Amino acid sequence: MLSLHQASRPLVRASQISSRVRPFSIAVPARREGEIVTPKPRGYLAEKNPLVHRDAANETHFVKSEEAEKFRLVRQKMLEQRRHLDELERHIQDLAKEQAKVRY
């Protein structure tokens, strides 16, 4: 049979191992009453600034909408020019027909 000392050895070892391992915890920094401080993000979050990304997204949206508006205006002008050219083409054809009738 095991002596009390030998039987209690695994318990002693377990308590020694657990005292070496720190339990998971989140430390909350102490603040004065009424003080509101947002902690600086660290690691991966430090690279991500939501305001910068939001501003960039808004700027991109604005630029794309402006480009779409410019494209729409240029397309509209192009269609107007095409109509004008078609009208001039018809006018030239009419003049050519009249001149052909006059010669004969």
Side-chain angles (χ1 to χ4, degrees):
M1 202 176 242
L2 295 172
S3 69
L4 183 60
H5 180 65
Q6 289 175 341
S8 65
R9 276 191 127 178
L11 294 174
V12 172
R13 279 192 207 137
S15 68
Q16 287 175 352
I17 291 172
S18 66
S19 67
R20 282 188 243 151
V21 178
R22 291 179 40 186
F24 177 77
S25 67
I26 298 176
V28 178
R31 295 187 172 86
R32 295 183 191 129
E33 184 177 342
E35 182 182 14
I36 300 174
V37 177
T38 56
K40 285 189 172 185
R42 295 182 182 153
Y44 177 75
L45 294 176
E47 298 169 8
K48 306 288 181 188
N49 187 349
L51 295 177
V52 170
H53 291 293
R54 191 177 309 137
D55 290 344
N58 287 341
E59 185 176 341
T60 302
H61 176 70
F62 176 76
V63 168
K64 285 185 178 182
S65 64
E66 287 293 312
E67 287 177 352
E69 181 65 22
K70 286 179 185 177
F71 179 74
R72 188 185 66 76
L73 291 173
V74 167
R75 185 176 171 99
Q76 184 179 0
K77 286 183 181 181
M78 183 186 72
L79 291 173
E80 289 172 5
Q81 291 294 325
R82 174 51 52 197
R83 283 189 214 114
H84 183 66
L85 287 173
D86 290 342
E87 184 180 317
L88 290 175
E89 189 70 34
R90 279 193 304 267
H91 186 63
I92 290 171
Q93 288 173 357
D94 291 342
L95 290 175
K97 285 179 187 177
E98 286 179 18
Q99 293 231 345
K101 288 180 186 178
V102 171
R103 284 188 190 167
Y104 296 108

